[in-house]
Amino acid sequence: MHPIATTGHRPSQSGIRLFESRDEAGPGALELAGARLRYDRNAEIFGEGEEAEFIYKVISGAVRSVKLLADGRRQISAFHLPGDWFGIESDSDHQFSADAVSDCEVLVVSRNAAMAMAEREGEVARALLAITSRDLGRARDHMLLLGRKSASERIAAFLLDMARRSDGALIQLPMSRYDIADYLGLTIETVSRTITEMSRKGWIGLDGSRRLSIRNPQALRQLDA
Amino acid sequence: MHPIATTGHRPSQSGIRLFESRDEAGPGALELAGARLRYDRNAEIFGEGEEAEFIYKVISGAVRSVKLLADGRRQISAFHLPGDWFGIESDSDHQFSADAVSDCEVLVVSRNAAMAMAEREGEVARALLAITSRDLGRARDHMLLLGRKSASERIAAFLLDMARRSDGALIQLPMSRYDIADYLGLTIETVSRTITEMSRKGWIGLDGSRRLSIRNPQALRQLDA
DNA sequence: CGGCGGCTTGATCGGTCTCAAGTACGGTGG
DNA sequence: CCACCGTACTTGAGACCGATCAAGCCGCCG
């Protein structure tokens, strides 16, 4: 349905980089055991059903966790920004796929090494549990959004979240309208219309489609409920 | 919107008990440290914002994890059946509330005790991580359902899941149409209509509103996609 | 028998999707 | 520098699925 090419390996154009470095609480020791990898925009980092050999942390750029239906319908369950861990699974196989929203750099740690380390060091075990249960909490918030909120409420929540996660008043969206739509359970047309309407009302300022600022947070928060 | 009384403490009527005992992989040691508690139907087990003092495991009956919006809109993020753990949080406070779908019995374990035990025993730490990351996987599946599936697809997925989690061909639903609607992001009318329609097509058999059997799993699986 | 909660059924409404153009922008090659 | 192109995005008109509003029914318990 959404013709997102999983082509990879275009030469990475190095552009503006927002979302650079806020670390989430993480197992510091793990990072020493990791390797850095680069992925081009839309490149797949791992696929649903593949063996969960590694766990990952975003260094720069953005990553999306994705579930697909056979007919192409897509749901993005989370966007991962620099400092976020992703790909931690209970199962031996990945239950969803992850790919690069923009050109990005990730830290890759062997799952076995991580688990062995968790076994020995309570600190690492606690950090992994904290990351996972925080993600679960976010997932539950997102379910409320997907199950019960209107289009404008979804967009408001999304924009406020992106504002919170970025630093500074200016938000640079790393993802396309397709990605936003598939994250919020809407169509690109509805996303576009709603954002345009918010801009028309003066609640947000637009500078092109990927760059915006929040002018009236109160109005948005009212919708976020 | 949904006038669900959080009244508790009616004398528990002891009825038929399905979903009795399939344990999920769990930290065996933890259970020794727990106490049993009974809750009446619709009683609150813990509320959003309360301190996360305990973690819980369903012994009998069913429990729902709930998020509420100020105006009363409700999203049930999960149903917990016997053997399932719930209430494990990264934060010090609960980010959602949990209440009894039916009269039920739960095992209650001090969070501090559990965390201390996890610190000492890798086995317990691993089990807690496994439970949480499995829940996260289920949450992501559910997001796909909430974001991208039609009403009949949602109902089909729900019924197949309930069939899988119960033993035997007969499904005894512990929850009301309100609960199902708030779990699937639909209204009770749509839930009712869709179930009636499936019964009319002969895909399922109905015996009252809470008891049903799957007659044509293939038809349902086709919708589950 | 009466009442009430939970469920079903019907009629209509409306928000979002779908289908269809049209526009803006970034990159590429002349 | 500009013409061209493709991709991403916006905008419009109309259709449709599920929500809403409104009865009515069923089963259980008093």
Side-chain angles (χ1 to χ4, degrees):
Chain A
M1 183 165 273
H2 296 166
I4 301 288
T6 5
T7 62
H9 311 294
R10 285 191 308 99
S12 318
Q13 78 253 22
S14 203
I16 300 136
R17 279 281 150 63
L18 254 74
F19 310 122
E20 268 296 343
S21 63
R22 299 138 305 96
D23 260 343
E24 67 179 90
L30 278 181
E31 286 151 30
L32 303 174
R36 277 171 181 245
L37 279 184
R38 305 200 95 271
Y39 291 91
D40 291 333
R41 188 164 74 99
N42 291 330
E44 183 173 78
I45 297 172
F46 57 80
E48 189 170 346
E50 283 180 17
E51 194 191 343
E53 208 175 342
F54 304 103
I55 66 175
Y56 304 82
K57 182 182 181 177
V58 182
I59 296 170
S60 69
V63 171
R64 55 183 179 247
S65 284
V66 171
K67 280 258 180 192
L68 280 173
L69 245 30
D71 61 7
R73 279 177 287 176
R74 187 178 72 150
Q75 179 66 41
I76 294 176
S77 58
F79 290 116
H80 309 288
L81 301 184
D84 295 340
W85 287 86
F86 65 98
I88 301 171
E89 299 267 356
S90 62
D91 214 339
S92 65
D93 293 343
H94 284 296
Q95 300 303 301
F96 58 95
S97 56
D99 40 36
V101 169
S102 58
D103 293 346
C104 65
E105 207 176 357
V106 302
L107 184 76
V108 183
V109 179
S110 152
R111 183 176 186 258
N112 288 337
M115 290 309 166
M117 205 176 294
E119 200 77 24
R120 290 194 311 275
E121 300 181 43
E123 175 63 29
V124 173
R126 203 182 317 119
L128 286 174
L129 181 58
I131 290 166
T132 306
S133 69
R134 186 188 323 169
D135 284 350
L136 180 56
R138 285 180 184 157
R140 288 190 156 130
D141 279 335
H142 205 59
M143 283 189 224
L144 176 58
L145 179 148
L146 291 172
R148 290 296 178 215
K149 291 191 177 180
S150 70
S152 53
E153 287 170 331
R154 293 178 200 209
I155 297 287
F158 171 72
L159 294 178
L160 288 170
D161 187 48
M162 289 308 293
R164 198 182 44 70
R165 293 169 84 179
S166 68
D167 20 35
L170 197 63
I171 305 172
Q172 169 82 20
L173 298 175
M175 71 289 283
S176 70
R177 294 287 189 265
Y178 273 101
D179 286 331
I180 298 173
D182 285 347
Y183 178 62
L184 299 179
L186 299 168
T187 58
I188 50 166
E189 293 94 333
T190 299
V191 170
S192 179
R193 273 188 256 270
T194 308
I195 289 179
T196 301
E197 179 64 11
M198 284 177 176
S199 166
R200 204 192 52 72
K201 285 178 181 161
W203 295 0
I204 59 175
L206 284 178
D207 174 17
S209 64
R210 300 286 188 102
R211 190 183 279 280
L212 57 86
S213 59
I214 293 184
R215 292 257 171 78
N216 188 344
Q218 210 164 350
L220 295 180
R221 251 179 246 118
Q222 196 122 358
L223 280 177
D224 195 16
Chain B
M1 180 169 275
H2 296 164
I4 301 287
T6 3
T7 60
H9 313 295
R10 286 189 308 97
S12 320
Q13 77 252 22
S14 204
I16 300 137
R17 281 280 150 64
L18 253 73
F19 312 120
E20 267 297 344
S21 62
R22 299 140 303 97
D23 258 345
E24 67 179 270
L30 278 181
E31 285 150 30
L32 303 172
R36 278 170 180 246
L37 278 184
R38 306 200 93 272
Y39 291 91
D40 292 331
R41 186 165 72 99
N42 290 331
E44 182 173 81
I45 297 172
F46 57 80
E48 189 170 344
E50 283 180 14
E51 194 191 341
E53 209 174 342
F54 304 104
I55 65 175
Y56 304 82
K57 181 183 181 178
V58 182
I59 296 170
S60 68
V63 171
R64 55 181 180 249
S65 284
V66 172
K67 279 260 181 190
L68 281 172
L69 246 30
D71 61 8
R73 280 176 287 176
R74 188 177 71 150
Q75 179 66 41
I76 295 177
S77 57
F79 290 116
H80 308 287
L81 300 183
D84 295 339
W85 286 87
F86 65 98
I88 302 172
E89 301 267 358
S90 63
D91 214 339
S92 65
D93 293 343
H94 285 296
Q95 300 302 301
F96 58 96
S97 57
D99 40 37
V101 169
S102 59
D103 294 346
C104 65
E105 207 173 358
V106 302
L107 184 76
V108 183
V109 179
S110 151
R111 183 177 186 257
N112 287 338
M115 290 309 165
M117 206 176 294
E119 200 77 25
R120 290 194 311 275
E121 301 182 43
E123 175 63 31
V124 172
R126 203 181 318 120
L128 286 173
L129 181 58
I131 290 166
T132 306
S133 68
R134 187 189 321 171
D135 283 350
L136 179 56
R138 286 178 183 159
R140 289 191 156 131
D141 280 335
H142 205 58
M143 281 190 225
L144 176 58
L145 179 147
L146 292 171
R148 289 297 177 215
K149 291 190 177 181
S150 70
S152 54
E153 287 170 330
R154 292 178 200 209
I155 297 287
F158 172 72
L159 293 178
L160 288 170
D161 187 49
M162 290 308 292
R164 199 181 44 71
R165 292 169 82 177
S166 68
D167 19 35
L170 197 64
I171 304 172
Q172 170 81 20
L173 297 176
M175 70 289 285
S176 70
R177 294 288 188 264
Y178 273 101
D179 286 332
I180 297 173
D182 284 347
Y183 178 61
L184 298 179
L186 299 169
T187 60
I188 50 167
E189 292 95 333
T190 299
V191 170
S192 179
R193 272 186 255 272
T194 308
I195 289 179
T196 301
E197 179 65 11
M198 284 178 176
S199 166
R200 203 191 55 70
K201 285 178 182 161
W203 295 359
I204 60 176
L206 284 177
D207 174 18
S209 63
R210 300 288 187 103
R211 188 183 280 279
L212 57 87
S213 59
I214 292 182
R215 293 256 170 78
N216 188 345
Q218 210 163 349
L220 295 180
R221 251 177 248 119
Q222 197 122 357
L223 280 177
D224 196 14

